[in-house]
Amino acid sequence: MKMQLLEDKIRAEGEIIGNDIVKVDMFLNHRIDVDLLCEIGKEFKRLFGDLGINKIVTIEASGIGIACVTAQYFSVPVVFAKKGFHRNVGNDIYSGEVFSFTKGITTQIGISKKYLTPDDRILIIDDFLANGGAVKGLIGLADQAGAKVMGVGICIEKGFQSGGKELREMGYRVESLAIIKSINDGKIVFG
Amino acid sequence: MKMQLLEDKIRAEGEIIGNDIVKVDMFLNHRIDVDLLCEIGKEFKRLFGDLGINKIVTIEASGIGIACVTAQYFSVPVVFAKKGFHRNVGNDIYSGEVFSFTKGITTQIGISKKYLTPDDRILIIDDFLANGGAVKGLIGLADQAGAKVMGVGICIEKGFQSGGKELREMGYRVESLAIIKSINDGKIVFG
């Protein structure tokens, strides 16, 4: 569900690099416009508010602020996956791998078993969706716990990469507040 | 300024390890109790609300949620220092080092020069204050920018370590919502 305020912000303050990268350090990833975050949180509540969600799950670092501000409107806790776990971390962690196409590296992620349970009906929140590595990694942790993934809320989806399409085809309800269809000659086309 | 709700939470859900570690993964550092975060944010607003603060500064990862929820009550943006910068990262980053006594490692931190300026009157927010490495690192970045550090808001201070005392002696206004004076035989004594 398109959110005009976010598209306007991306157009005004996003920094375009080549034909596939938009840096949003100015309001989402380094400096955080918290008023905007509140509007984003309310929009996620409007979109996912009727699904009985009892936990919001994200991944460090830039997902945490968005998840916490959003969680207020749901009155539910946040759990964030930590990065840099080792494969053999023991029996008390659900763990997995996230491959980042952008950075070309694989990162171990994990969530303590105490904080994901079969009773959970979770909403996954993240800032970006491109190839979907992070979201798929979080779904993997939820699956290990037997938690239900009720939805995936994304701020900015790169529609020209395959993550969103793949997740929707897998049956997940993915709502992206801004979908970038393409970047041509320094101009962003929203989908 | 002591916050009873937070002390009660630490007593009820904190996990004591030996005589110097309290893990608060259950509500602050991995799973996040966002209702509690809202109360923490309101308390910081009460304590620092009259200082003309125009930016909240923290460090990834666990400071981000607290900073974002707090920033709502101030209607100001958040800037978080990123970890893992290299020393020679270029001219567009204020950078410094944080030594963690707990982990025994030094981490490079940095903030883009665009997001800290001489006009800034900042509030530094963090989850823990022990030896003060992270807060001193953030003060170092603010100093490089010529930004004014108006206050330091901490959720949990370890009063038996030296960071809080040192920062107060340096003239900084440090407000910790819970101060752990000591941990004896599995019991926490608050200061």
Side-chain angles (χ1 to χ4, degrees):
Chain A
M1 183 63 63
K2 164 178 171 159
M3 183 177 164
Q4 193 62 46
L5 184 67
L6 180 58
E7 283 193 7
D8 292 346
K9 195 85 175 174
I10 296 166
R11 259 191 240 279
E13 300 181 7
E15 187 187 340
I16 297 166
I17 299 171
N19 280 327
D20 57 354
I21 294 175
V22 182
K23 279 183 75 176
V24 291
D25 271 14
M26 178 66 191
F27 58 91
L28 201 61
N29 278 339
H30 187 9
R31 180 181 179 279
I32 301 173
D33 181 331
V34 177
D35 291 336
L36 176 69
L37 241 53
C38 291
E39 296 308 313
I40 286 171
K42 286 177 204 168
E43 183 65 7
F44 284 139
K45 177 66 160 68
R46 199 181 64 77
L47 292 167
F48 297 107
D50 59 350
L51 300 178
I53 283 158
N54 66 355
K55 194 170 283 175
I56 289 179
V57 174
T58 188
I59 188 166
E60 66 179 7
S62 45
I64 297 175
I66 304 161
C68 284
V69 170
T70 298
Q72 301 178 107
Y73 301 108
F74 286 83
S75 298
V76 301
V78 166
V79 173
F80 65 90
K82 299 194 177 194
K83 288 178 179 171
F85 279 100
H86 295 291
R87 213 181 276 260
N88 301 311
V89 76
N91 291 322
D92 55 347
I93 303 271
Y94 298 118
S95 63
E97 290 185 346
V98 172
F99 179 70
S100 166
F101 282 81
T102 320
K103 297 180 186 162
I105 55 166
T106 297
T107 305
Q108 302 291 323
I109 64 167
I111 291 181
S112 167
K113 289 187 180 178
K114 281 184 285 189
Y115 307 134
L116 267 187
T117 77
D119 296 330
D120 284 335
R121 298 167 64 87
I122 69 170
L123 172 62
I124 292 173
I125 292 278
D126 210 0
D127 53 350
F128 268 97
L129 173 63
N131 288 290
V135 171
K136 288 176 202 160
L138 293 174
I139 290 172
L141 304 186
D143 287 348
Q144 290 172 49
K148 267 212 173 75
V149 177
M150 306 304 295
V152 179
I154 299 294
C155 294
I156 304 171
E157 177 178 340
K158 290 180 170 179
F160 54 90
Q161 289 181 306
S162 62
K165 187 170 179 289
E166 285 168 33
L167 289 165
R168 290 180 185 100
E169 283 176 0
M170 288 160 76
Y172 293 102
R173 178 167 164 189
V174 181
E175 300 275 5
S176 300
L177 305 186
I179 299 181
I180 297 176
K181 231 169 95 178
S182 62
I183 305 171
N184 292 312
D185 296 330
K187 290 222 169 181
I188 297 171
V189 180
F190 289 99
Chain B
M1 182 64 63
K2 163 178 169 158
M3 183 177 164
Q4 193 62 47
L5 183 67
L6 180 58
E7 284 193 5
D8 292 346
K9 195 87 175 172
I10 296 167
R11 258 190 239 280
E13 300 182 5
E15 188 187 340
I16 298 165
I17 300 171
N19 280 326
D20 57 357
I21 294 175
V22 182
K23 278 184 76 175
V24 291
D25 270 14
M26 178 65 190
F27 58 91
L28 202 61
N29 279 338
H30 187 12
R31 181 182 178 277
I32 302 173
D33 181 331
V34 177
D35 291 336
L36 176 69
L37 241 53
C38 290
E39 295 309 312
I40 287 172
K42 287 177 202 166
E43 183 65 6
F44 284 139
K45 177 65 162 67
R46 200 181 65 76
L47 293 165
F48 297 107
D50 59 350
L51 301 177
I53 284 157
N54 67 354
K55 196 170 279 176
I56 290 181
V57 174
T58 189
I59 186 166
E60 64 178 11
S62 45
I64 298 175
I66 304 161
C68 285
V69 170
T70 298
Q72 301 178 108
Y73 302 107
F74 287 82
S75 297
V76 301
V78 166
V79 173
F80 65 90
K82 298 192 178 195
K83 290 179 178 169
F85 279 100
H86 295 291
R87 212 180 278 259
N88 301 311
V89 76
N91 292 321
D92 56 346
I93 302 271
Y94 297 118
S95 64
E97 289 185 345
V98 172
F99 179 71
S100 165
F101 282 82
T102 319
K103 297 180 187 165
I105 55 166
T106 298
T107 305
Q108 304 290 324
I109 64 167
I111 290 181
S112 167
K113 288 187 180 175
K114 282 184 284 189
Y115 307 135
L116 268 186
T117 77
D119 296 330
D120 283 335
R121 299 166 64 86
I122 70 171
L123 172 62
I124 291 174
I125 292 278
D126 209 0
D127 53 349
F128 268 95
L129 174 62
N131 288 290
V135 172
K136 287 176 202 160
L138 292 174
I139 289 172
L141 303 187
D143 288 348
Q144 291 171 50
K148 268 211 171 78
V149 178
M150 305 306 295
V152 179
I154 299 292
C155 294
I156 305 172
E157 178 178 338
K158 290 179 169 180
F160 54 91
Q161 288 180 305
S162 63
K165 186 169 179 288
E166 285 167 35
L167 289 166
R168 289 180 185 99
E169 284 176 1
M170 288 160 78
Y172 293 102
R173 178 167 166 191
V174 181
E175 301 275 5
S176 300
L177 304 186
I179 299 181
I180 297 175
K181 231 169 96 179
S182 62
I183 305 171
N184 291 313
D185 297 329
K187 289 223 170 180
I188 298 170
V189 181
F190 288 100

